[in-house]
Amino acid sequence: MAKQVGIALTFIMFLLLFTAVGIYSATRKQNTTTDYLLASRNVNPWLTALSAMATGQSGLLFIGQVGNAYKIGISSLWLTIGWAIGDYLAWYFIFKRLRQLSEETASDTVSSFLSQNMKGSRLIAIISAIITIVFLGSYAAAQLVAGSKALNAVFGWNYNLGIIIGAVIVVIYCFSGGIRASIWTDALQATIMIGSLLVLLVVAVASCGGTGQMWQSLAAIDPALIKWNSSQQPWGFAPFFIGWVVAGFGVVGQPHIMVRAMAIDSPDNIAFARNLKAALGLVTSISAMGIGLTGRVLMPDLLASGDPELALPYLSLKLLPVVLVGLMLAGLFSATMSTADSQILSCSAALTQDIFPAAAKSYQFAKVGTLTVTAVVLAIALLGNNNVFALVTFSWSALASGLGPLLILRVWQRPVNLTTAIAMMGIGIATALIWNLGLDLSSAIYEVLPGMAAGMAVYGIAQFLKHPK
């Protein structure tokens, strides 16, 4: 009991620190929608990199990736490496041009950027906004579930209570300073994420008897855990790996991350932010994978009688002193909440700026939109699937397939007509859904690849029919 009280006090202390940073960010805010949604396009590149890393990983990193490594072993590394390569390529080829063009066209949201200078732009804006709200809303719900899982593991709280607490914190973040509050708290959380993951990894590996002993223990539990190419790659390594490279490139369809490129203070600072984000992201991802592997050695029963996605909080309780458990839990919970608030802000922007543009310049309407979206996300989290990895990867694929191909074309200023744009979004999402749910082929090739390929194929066919040779 005393240990739980100590953890709770430490957890609350760090949570208050994160919340205070978010509230302090309000001292820099201006009561305009551009400031609420893009921090007046004046974000420091250090903050951009840390924020992009934290908001892109969070629940998926602490809960999903740890659980995935626990279940399938060392071959989970290829997912991490593939994703990192794809993400880096997206930053290299897309982000700088998006920052330049979004300012030139005064686009405050991804949907408004997709529809700029296009005949039938209102319809494109509405459809892309609906896609954002549906799938990014589900993504945000997964973050609330991830945070709730951590609280349940440490304190035994009811899942629903943790989800509701998370939703309240999200509203505080959003109302205090909009995207600026999200970015500032992201940066602090990213720093704590890195430190806490490395501390837990070192302690956990030492508890396994070192890396050599850990490797031998994994082999004794199941030889597949130390195979680089596992049964999780049914079509072989190359299709599996390429699928995850494209999955990482699918960041181009994620509004909550793309707005960070749109908010940086200068297009020239994108390269620095990209390199810093990539380096730190690899550190946290490989650390999470290592923690999952140590969890399989130290707590082998989770697979049969528990939840592998809770390996990190359980390991923290088992191995770390009270203060560090509180720190780890606060970092995990707040990172998921800050990601959720980034996603809810993007959904709110889609609702208030793109679906109801008549009120787009109303700062108060933007806040009403945030409350509305939070209520919807809360309902999804309370009623939906508790598998964070499945929720996040599915939402990511739908957004990447629906918005990614069109955004690539718009960034490179390729001509796209209304019919082609709608068909690209619809067929991209439909292909990803069929690949995942209908054909059940995602374990062979993650559905972002066929989804984005289908969207680009629609454009290629349209261009061929328009200009046949």
Side-chain angles (χ1 to χ4, degrees), residues 280-325:
L280 295 177
L282 278 174
V283 169
T284 52
S285 292
I286 292 172
S287 297
M289 188 197 76
I291 289 167
L293 296 176
T294 61
R296 188 64 181 267
V297 172
L298 298 171
M299 298 182 300
D301 294 338
L302 276 184
L303 196 61
S305 58
D307 184 350
E309 289 197 336
L310 294 176
L312 186 143
Y314 284 147
L315 271 179
S316 300
L317 281 170
K318 184 181 177 75
L319 302 175
L320 298 180
V322 166
V323 172
L324 290 181
V325 175

Side-chain angles (χ1 to χ4, degrees), residues 77-339:
L77 177 65
W78 297 119
L79 186 158
T80 294
I81 293 174
W83 194 295
I85 291 171
D87 181 83
Y88 190 90
L89 292 172
W91 277 75
Y92 190 86
F93 289 109
I94 303 296
F95 278 52
K96 183 175 181 178
R97 291 182 63 86
L98 174 64
R99 171 63 178 82
Q100 292 169 328
L101 292 171
S102 64
E103 183 171 24
E104 289 174 11
T105 57
S107 301
D108 288 350
T109 68
V110 169
S111 292
S112 63
F113 177 77
L114 292 176
S115 61
Q116 46 91 19
N117 299 327
M118 184 187 292
K119 187 177 181 181
S121 59
R122 282 289 303 122
L123 191 55
I124 296 297
I126 290 171
I127 293 172
S128 59
I130 290 171
I131 291 170
T132 298
I133 292 167
V134 170
F135 293 106
L136 201 58
S138 299
Y139 200 156
Q143 303 303 322
L144 296 182
V145 170
S148 177
K149 277 192 171 192
L151 294 180
N152 173 268
V154 176
F155 299 122
W157 291 358
N158 180 277
Y159 270 142
N160 292 348
L161 177 61
I163 288 170
I164 292 167
I165 290 172
V168 171
I169 291 173
V170 161
V171 171
I172 292 171
Y173 277 179
C174 290
F175 275 32
S176 62
I179 195 71
R180 183 179 287 103
S182 175
I183 289 172
W184 283 27
T185 52
D186 275 351
L188 176 58
Q189 287 152 11
T191 305
I192 291 174
M193 277 167 63
I194 295 165
S196 57
L197 283 167
L198 288 174
V199 167
L200 180 57
L201 177 63
V202 170
V203 172
V205 170
S207 298
C208 291
T211 53
Q213 184 59 48
M214 181 186 78
W215 195 265
Q216 292 176 20
S217 300
L218 288 169
I221 294 169
D222 183 353
L225 293 173
I226 60 170
K227 288 184 178 177
W228 294 101
N229 295 332
S230 74
S231 58
Q232 299 290 324
Q233 302 164 7
W235 290 2
F237 173 74
F240 175 87
F241 185 70
I242 293 169
W244 284 106
V245 171
V246 177
F249 193 82
V251 69
V252 297
Q254 314 303 317
H256 63 298
I257 299 176
M258 301 308 287
V259 294
R260 278 151 174 75
M262 295 163 67
I264 197 169
D265 56 8
S266 168
D268 295 332
N269 286 331
I270 287 285
F272 174 82
R274 175 189 71 227
N275 294 335
L276 179 61
K277 188 261 180 191
L280 295 177
L282 278 174
V283 169
T284 52
S285 292
I286 292 172
S287 297
M289 188 197 76
I291 289 167
L293 296 176
T294 61
R296 188 64 181 267
V297 172
L298 298 171
M299 298 182 300
D301 294 338
L302 276 184
L303 196 61
S305 58
D307 184 350
E309 289 197 336
L310 294 176
L312 186 143
Y314 284 147
L315 271 179
S316 300
L317 281 170
K318 184 181 177 75
L319 302 175
L320 298 180
V322 166
V323 172
L324 290 181
V325 175
L327 171 65
M328 179 69 75
L329 183 63
L332 190 165
F333 186 76
S334 294
T336 59
M337 294 310 102
S338 194
T339 299

